Amino acid sequence: MDLHVRITEGSNDDFIRLVRLLDEECLEMIDNDKLQHKQFKQADDDSTTVVVVYDGMTPIACGSFRNYSEDTVEMKRVFVRKVYRNKGLATKVMHNLEKLALAQGRAYAILETGGKIQATIDLYKHLQYDTIHNYGPYETDMNCICMKKKLG
């Protein structure tokens, strides 16, 4: 693999294509009505920080964050194409995002993931994210798990 990472914004075409693949996979796993709040509404928001991993010229993984509060970012849209999974790419994406958040002066990262996606939950636990009470739009959604990590 010829891997390289690009730091970009939510309007990046490769990021948007990867997010569509992520949404398609989510649709396969959960009901359409439960997916509505998961749609990536920041896709054209330039304030969103995005990481895209490429194998040569092919975009294969992504992730992003948005500023949630003065000291906290919310990790969003972490995705790796199926054929590239189990190669440490999600960890690479998360580490890059965490470093960028720290460089912007943020102390914490929060995230939401589907409660039935055990591999994702295990990844975040491995990366030292702890389960917290559901926040914001996920407060009453029992299908979600929210997590938080102190950066640095």
Side-chain angles (χ1 to χ4, degrees), residues 10 19 23 35-45 48 66 76-77:
V19 166
D23 284 343
L35 185 67
Q36 66 184 4
H37 71 273
K38 294 177 185 285
Q39 297 299 321
F40 188 63
K41 302 198 185 324
Q42 293 82 24
D44 58 359
D45 178 357
T48 300
R66 67 179 184 90
K76 307 288 286 181
R77 312 312 281 178

Side-chain angles (χ1 to χ4, degrees), residues 26 29-30 38 113-122 143 145:
C26 287
M29 287 186 274
I30 58 180
K38 294 177 185 285
T113 189
K116 297 179 181 176
I117 310 171
Q118 192 60 47
T120 305
I121 295 166
D122 291 345
N143 295 307
I145 293 179

Side-chain angles (χ1 to χ4, degrees), residues 98-114:
E98 290 171 358
K99 287 178 191 174
L100 290 165
L102 272 172
Q104 292 181 17
R106 301 306 192 265
Y108 300 95
I110 59 173
L111 58 84
E112 173 275 335
T113 189

